[in-house]
Amino acid sequence: MEKRDIENELKELQNKLDTLKQDVQGDEKKAILPIINQLEESALSLKAELYRKITPIERVQLARNPNRPTTLDYIKYLIKDFVQFHGDRRFMDDEAIVGGVGFFEKIPVTVIGHQKGRDVKDNIKRHFGMPHPEGYRKALRLMQQAEKFHRPIINFIDTPGAYPGLGAEERGQGEAIATNLYEMSTLRTPIISIVTGEGGSGGALALGVADRVFMLANTIYSVISPEGCASILWRDSSKSGEAAEALKIDANNCLMMGAIDDIIEEPHGGANEDHLKVAANMREKIRIALEELSQYSIETLLEQRYNKFRKIGQFKE
Amino acid sequence: MSNLFIKCPSCGVTHFQSILVKSLFVCPECGFHHGIDSAARIKYTVDKGSFTEFGKNLCSLDPLSFPNYEEKLKSSMKATNMNEAVVTGTATIEESPCVIAVMDTRFIMASMGSVVGEKITRAFEYATEHNLPIIIFTASGGARMQEGIYSLMQMAKTSAAAKKHSDKGLLFVSVLTHPTTGGVTASFAYLGDIIIAEPQALIGFAGPRVIEQTINQKLPTGFQRSEFLLEHGMLDKIVSREMMRETLGNILRLHQNVSKPQKEYRIEQYGLK
Ligand SMILES: [Zn+2]
C-alpha cells in the first residue's frame, strides 16, 4: 500500500472513531465498545505501518519537531534535586547549552545538553540551540568538575550545529570544539551521550566523545545538514530529501556504521507524542549503561573509549 | 605554455613561473602566498632527502555509495597522482627528527574522510611510540561529507590521538595554511602546543558565506585571516614561507630534550651541572 493511501485510511478511521464517540451515548455506547476497540486497534497498526515507511527527510522533520522534549525536559523527568550552573568563567553564559548536577536514581551525576528554545523569544536567547565557544567551554568546565568529584556525566545532544557568527569565530569556535574532543577523550569518569534531536556536525560531537553513545529512534546524527549538503553538491537546498537519504543520518545507519552503541525507542509518531514514555525508555538505558560502566577501572574505561573511536572509518590499503 | 606566466590573485602582477619557483611561490610584488602542493611543501620544509613516507597505500572506499563519490575519488587520484589528501612520514628539519603530515587541497579540497583521519591518527601514534615531535601543515575545506558520519567521527579519532601524544610530554606544532576550515579546524588543527599560520590564510570553523547568510551582514575585511586571528589571540605566530624551515628548526631544537620525555624540569638534562 502507498503511504498516501495509508494516511488517508488512517484519517478516515480517525473520523469514524470521533463520530462514534461523540454521537453515541449511554447504553448504546456500551454496546458498540467492541467496535470502537477494534477501530482503535486498526488505527494503531496503520500508524505502525506508516512509521515503518518513514522517509529520511521525514525523519529529519521528526528530529526537529519543536514539541519533542528538550534537555531541560529530560532533566525534569529523570534528574532529582537538579541544580543548574552557569558560565564559562571567561566571557559569558551561553544558554544554548545548559548544565548542572543532580541525582539520577540515587547517583549524583553531571548533566549537560544543548537547549533549544520553547518559543520565539526563548529561541532567540538560546540561538536555536547553536552554541558559541562559551557554551562548549562551560560544558568542558562542568565535565572537568564532574571528573574531580568522580561523578558520571550524561550529555544530551540536540543542535543544528555550532553558531556561525562573527563573535563565535573571533573567540575560537574551532578551538573550543577541538578542545572538548581532546579533553573528553581522557576524562577520568564515565560519559554517556544521547542524541535527543538533531546531532548537527562538530557542534554535536563536542558533547559526544563518550563511553556510550545512544540515539533516540527518530533522531539524526550528521556531518552536515541535508540542506547544506544539497546546496553544496547540487547548488539547490530544496534537494534536501535526496541529501538526507545519501548521508544515511538515521539511527539505524549510525548504529550499523559503529558511530553509536544503541537506539532508544520512541512512540510511533515521535517523542513529541509521549514525553513520559520516552523518558522512561531513556531512564532504563542510562541505568543499565551506568551499571555496566561502573564495572571497569578508569584505565580500562579510557582504553575502551579510545578504541571505540579509533576503529571508526572505512578504507583499504 | 599557459603555465609559464602566473598572475597574482592579490596584486594582479604577472610573474614568470621560474621566478615564483625561486620565491617558494610567494609573490615578489606583494608577498601573497600562492597555494602549493604537498610535494613542494615537503621540499621547502625538510632536510633534503630526509623524508620517508608512510601510509601511502591507504585508499578511500565509498562506504555510503554516495552520488558521484567514486568518480570524484578516481579523477582526484588521476589529477594529483596521490591516493588521498594528506601525505605523512618522518623527516628531519635542520637535523631535528620529526613526524610530518602535509595536507593537499588539490585532492577534494583536502576534506577529511576515513583515510585522512586514519593517516593523521597513525602519524600521531607513530610519533607517540617513537617519542617524536609532530608537525602538521593543515589545509582543508572541512569534513568529507561524502563519507557521512564516518568523516565526522574522524574529528574525535584524531583529537584523541593528539591527546595521547601530548600526555607523553611530546611536542605538536600545527601550521595552518590557506584555507583551514570546518572539521579540521575543530579538531587537530587547533590542538597544537604551538600554532603557527602562513600570512593571509583563511582559518575558521564556519565558512564566510554561511556566516554572512546567518547574520545577514557583510563581514569586515580581513575577517578569519591569519592577521585577524593573531590579533584575537588565536595564534602564536604568523610565519612567512621563506622563514618556515628556520622557525620550525629552531622550535624543534628548543624541544630537543623532549625526545626523551622527562617528568619534571631537571637542570642536569641540559648538561649544565
Ligand atoms: Zn602579488
Side-chain angles (χ1 to χ4, degrees), chain A residues 48-225:
Chain A
E49 172 111 25
L50 262 184
Y51 185 72
R52 276 194 297 275
K53 290 204 155 120
I54 202 165
T55 64
I57 195 67
E58 286 169 334
R59 188 85 67 182
V60 175
Q61 284 146 7
L62 272 179
R64 291 173 180 164
N65 187 314
N67 297 320
R68 290 180 72 84
T70 66
T71 293
L72 287 174
D73 294 320
Y74 287 119
I75 288 172
K76 188 175 69 193
Y77 299 135
L78 300 173
I79 306 297
K80 246 184 72 194
D81 301 336
F82 181 70
V83 189
Q84 192 177 341
F85 298 143
H86 295 271
D88 70 340
R89 300 292 188 274
R90 284 169 170 77
F91 187 75
M92 67 168 200
D93 184 39
D94 180 359
E95 297 189 72
I97 288 184
V98 296
V101 297
F103 289 102
F104 174 82
E105 317 272 85
K106 281 175 181 147
I107 311 163
V109 292
T110 288
V111 189
I112 298 163
H114 300 99
Q115 182 63 40
K116 288 181 176 174
R118 291 168 216 266
D119 51 46
V120 178
K121 207 176 134 203
D122 198 25
N123 253 324
I124 289 168
K125 189 175 80 171
R126 300 185 189 278
H127 293 106
F128 297 84
M130 294 187 281
H132 280 67
E134 294 73 31
Y136 297 115
R137 289 175 186 141
K138 167 166 74 176
L140 182 59
R141 181 176 75 80
L142 296 181
M143 287 192 273
Q144 285 169 336
Q145 189 185 74
E147 180 184 44
K148 173 176 175 181
F149 296 110
H150 312 288
R151 283 194 293 261
I153 298 163
I154 302 168
N155 287 330
F156 295 112
I157 294 171
D158 184 16
T159 181
Y163 187 77
L166 276 174
E169 293 290 321
E170 272 174 0
R171 302 194 296 275
Q173 188 73 284
E175 188 271 345
I177 294 171
T179 301
N180 278 23
L181 307 180
Y182 186 75
E183 293 297 338
M184 287 177 82
S185 74
T186 56
L187 212 62
R188 299 175 69 83
T189 194
I191 310 174
I192 298 168
S193 292
I194 305 170
V195 182
T196 60
E198 282 180 279
S201 128
L205 185 62
L207 297 184
V209 181
D211 302 298
R212 292 284 185 278
V213 183
F214 302 138
M215 281 172 81
L216 289 179
N218 290 311
T219 62
I220 54 171
Y221 203 177
S222 181
V223 68
I224 186 168
S225 73

Side-chain angles (χ1 to χ4, degrees), chain B residues 7-15 26-34:
Chain B
K7 191 176 169 181
C8 173
S10 177
C11 69
V13 173
T14 303
H15 289 283
V26 174
C27 174
E29 207 68 35
C30 72
F32 174 79
H33 284 51
H34 289 262

Side-chain angles (χ1 to χ4, degrees), chain A residues 164 166 169-170 172 174 178 182 186 201 205 223 232-233 247-248 257 306 309-310 312-317, chain B residues 58-59 64 66 114 118 121-122 125 143 145 150-152 154 157 163 166 186-187 204-206 223-224 228:
Chain A
L166 276 174
E169 293 290 321
E170 272 174 0
Y182 186 75
T186 56
S201 128
L205 185 62
V223 68
I232 292 172
L233 271 192
L247 286 165
K248 301 197 163 48
M257 294 189 273
Y306 185 82
F309 290 93
R310 177 68 187 86
I312 302 178
Q314 290 281 319
F315 54 85
K316 60 179 180 214
E317 62 180 316
Chain B
L58 267 76
C59 283
L64 270 56
F66 199 92
S114 299
E118 180 71 20
T121 302
R122 287 189 191 181
E125 287 177 340
M145 65 183 168
Y150 288 122
S151 65
L152 182 66
Q154 303 309 309
K157 179 164 128 183
K163 183 66 160 58
S166 178
S187 61
F205 178 63
F223 178 65
Q224 290 183 314
F228 173 93

Side-chain angles (χ1 to χ4, degrees), chain B residues 123-144:
Chain B
F124 275 116
E125 287 177 340
Y126 184 93
T128 307
E129 193 188 333
H130 295 88
N131 293 321
L132 285 168
I134 182 168
I135 294 171
I136 303 183
F137 283 86
T138 68
S140 178
R144 176 93 43 98

